[in-house]
Amino acid sequence: DAGITQSPRHKVTETGTPVTLRCHQTENHRYMYWYRQDPGHGLRLIHYSYGVKDTDKGEVSDGYSVSRSKTEDFLLTLESATSSQTSVYFCAIQGRSNEKLFFGSGTQLSVL
Amino acid sequence: DQQVKQNSPSLSVQEGRISILNCDYTNSMFDYFLWYKKYPAEGPTFLISISSIKDKNEDGRFTVFLNKSAKHLSLHIVPSQPGDSAVYFCAASVYGDNDMRFGAGTRLTVKP
């Protein structure tokens, strides 16, 4: 299995608070992704990174920011959490563009 | 803008029979297609893929068929086993584009 660790696994927070989710990989893969999974929508791309300090927006990036200061770590921040951001968040890594993704185990986030 | 669609939210089959999961896409630029399998409380795991230059790819009990003219792909599982019970996601991407698009998923239940 690919070495991907997401933390925390579960998080409950209040509307308006900032939240940071962490993804850590041990595979030295160049590409890292954050997806959210919601019923009826499947997985939707939030942001991705193609190298240290190189990031770009995905399909549903509003309300989220990311940072990648080291190859192995990719952080997702909700600046001011809203109830619509209640979801399961998955981190994924990819060795080269257009290859399969390896996913972490996910973070269940509830915004009350 | 759901470019990848799985119109069947669920499918139930008997153990030993064939399972056929379907996926349609709208973006004719997609040239790489994948199927992922997801168990509860785990991240999706890669199952099988197919490039647009092929119309069939086989891996053990799993076969993916691609019909480019119809913008349709399907996953066949023969014979189906209870351990195949999971949610299956169809995904598609364009070479060089990091935005892999996913369908909403189909929950497969294989009854003993």
Side-chain angles (χ1 to χ4, degrees), chain A residues 71-91:
Chain A
T71 299
E72 57 266 35
D73 290 325
F74 193 32
L75 304 181
L76 176 71
T77 297
L78 290 65
E79 304 290 347
S80 176
T82 67
S83 58
S84 65
Q85 293 176 312
T86 293
S87 186
V88 181
Y89 291 85
F90 288 101
C91 174

Side-chain angles (χ1 to χ4, degrees), chain B residues 8-9 14-15 22 33 35 40 43-44 46 53 60 62 65 73 78 81 91 103 111:
Chain B
S8 298
Q14 208 66 36
E15 181 178 5
N22 293 303
F33 304 88
W35 285 93
F46 170 76
I53 63 173
F62 303 91
F65 295 92
L73 66 157
V78 184
Q81 300 173 353
K111 298 180 179 179

Side-chain angles (χ1 to χ4, degrees), chain A residues 24-74:
Chain A
H24 178 79
Q25 62 146 330
T26 57
E27 305 297 321
N28 200 36
H29 279 353
R30 177 182 177 187
Y31 298 96
M32 297 186 76
Y33 301 81
W34 278 107
Y35 284 87
R36 59 178 289 175
Q37 184 197 357
D38 303 289
H41 291 279
L43 293 123
R44 291 179 293 174
L45 181 64
I46 304 171
H47 281 280
Y48 68 95
S49 169
Y50 47 95
V52 173
K53 297 192 190 311
D54 291 324
T55 65
D56 207 347
K57 296 179 179 180
E59 183 186 1
V60 291
S61 60
D62 287 349
Y64 302 94
S65 62
V66 290
S67 66
R68 191 170 180 197
S69 58
K70 298 185 289 185
T71 299
E72 57 266 35
D73 290 325
F74 193 32

Side-chain angles (χ1 to χ4, degrees), chain A residues 86-104:
Chain A
T86 293
S87 186
V88 181
Y89 291 85
F90 288 101
C91 174
I93 64 175
Q94 185 185 44
R96 290 188 297 181
S97 185
N98 224 50
E99 289 186 342
K100 60 188 177 185
L101 302 176
F102 296 94
F103 285 88

